Amino acid sequence: MGAYKYLEELWKKKQSDVLKFVTRVRNWEFRQYSAITRVTRPTRPDKARRLGYKRKQGYVIYRVRVNRGGRKKVAPKGVVDGKPVNEGIHKLKAGRSLRALAEQRAGKALGGLRVLNSYWVGQDGKSKFYEIIMIDPFHTTIRNDPRINWICKDKQKHRECRGLTSAGKKSRGLKVRGHRAKKARPSVRSNWYR
C-alpha cells in the first residue's frame, strides 16, 4: 500500500484514536489564524491530488473558516409578512453547502485566482474548515499546461459563484443522473420554462 493510499485509508476512519487526536490539535491551530489564510502545503495531500492539485508553480492552497449551523431568517421582531407557510424563522437551511460558501468567500477575497476545487479538513463546535485549491490563470506554467489551461479562459471567472465547481454542482442537483434528475438539467429554472 503506497503512502497516498495509506493516508486515504487513515482519513476514512475519522473516529480512530490517531485521527481524533490529530484533528483536535489541528483544529486548535486552525482557530488561531484568520478566516482566510494561505497554507504552504495541503493538509490532506492525497485528497488534494485526487481533486486536481499539483505541487508546481501556479497552484495555491487557501484554508477558509466558516460558521456552522443553519441559516436563520432575518425578520425584525419575528414578523414575517405573507402566508403562514413562510412564517418560519429557525430550522431553515441554506440552499448551498458550507463548502460552496467557503469557495465563494475565497474567490471573492482573491479575485485574481480561479477556484478549482475544495475539501474538508476539520471542524469544531463553532466552525468548519475547508482548503480551497486555487490557480493563478496568468502564470506561464499554467498557461502552457494543456491539462489545466482551460481554467485560463474568461468564462471560468468566478466559477464558484455560478455553481460550476464540484460543491456548486452538487447543490444544483447535477451529481444525480438518469430518470431521477430529468428536471435538474440544464438547470431547474430553465427546465421549468420548457
Side-chain angles (χ1 to χ4, degrees):
M1 191 162 65
Y4 286 124
K5 185 66 178 173
Y6 181 80
L7 283 171
E8 183 185 346
E9 293 300 320
L10 197 65
W11 273 96
K12 280 181 182 176
K13 298 176 174 60
K14 294 182 176 63
Q15 292 293 321
S16 65
D17 292 341
V18 176
L19 220 57
K20 271 185 178 178
F21 174 74
V22 170
T23 49
R24 193 171 79 237
V25 174
R26 274 186 182 153
N27 288 345
W28 177 87
E29 185 190 351
F30 292 167
R31 283 196 295 269
Q32 313 311 311
Y33 292 97
S34 57
I36 302 173
T37 182
R38 184 176 174 176
V39 293
T40 53
R41 60 186 70 240
T43 307
R44 301 173 63 183
D46 59 314
K47 183 72 170 176
R49 282 179 62 82
R50 283 204 304 277
L51 296 178
Y53 174 76
K54 303 283 185 191
R55 185 110 170 105
K56 60 193 283 189
Q57 291 178 326
Y59 287 80
V60 198
I61 300 276
Y62 276 85
R63 188 171 54 242
V64 180
R65 183 180 71 235
V66 291
N67 288 340
R68 290 176 64 181
R71 290 293 169 259
K72 183 183 167 188
K73 186 185 287 184
V74 178
K77 297 183 180 178
V79 177
V80 180
D81 298 324
K83 301 285 194 294
V85 70
N86 296 320
E87 67 188 1
I89 292 174
H90 302 284
K91 297 187 179 180
L92 301 177
K93 281 48 169 196
R96 307 181 73 179
S97 65
L98 294 178
R99 185 175 141 216
L101 178 67
E103 289 179 353
Q104 201 167 340
R105 286 183 182 171
K108 189 176 181 182
L110 306 149
L113 302 177
R114 305 273 162 88
V115 174
L116 178 64
N117 222 320
S118 62
Y119 53 93
W120 177 94
V121 286
Q123 66 187 47
D124 56 18
K126 183 175 178 291
S127 312
K128 282 198 178 191
F129 304 98
Y130 296 95
E131 283 186 358
I132 319 293
I133 304 168
M134 307 193 79
I135 292 177
D136 182 1
F138 300 105
H139 201 289
T140 313
T141 310
I142 301 297
R143 296 182 87 86
N144 291 340
D145 186 351
R147 285 173 296 185
I148 196 62
N149 62 7
W150 56 269
I151 208 164
C152 300
K153 294 178 182 175
D154 281 349
K155 66 178 183 180
Q156 299 297 339
K157 289 179 180 178
H158 291 290
R159 53 202 302 273
E160 71 284 348
C161 297
R162 297 175 287 129
L164 301 181
T165 59
S166 181
K169 283 182 178 178
K170 188 173 183 180
S171 62
R172 290 166 60 200
L174 298 178
K175 292 294 179 98
V176 184
R177 292 175 179 270
H179 71 279
R180 295 178 300 161
K182 284 180 179 176
K183 296 186 178 180
R185 284 184 176 82
S187 70
V188 173
R189 183 171 289 131
S190 63
N191 187 281
W192 186 84
Y193 278 122
R194 281 176 175 169

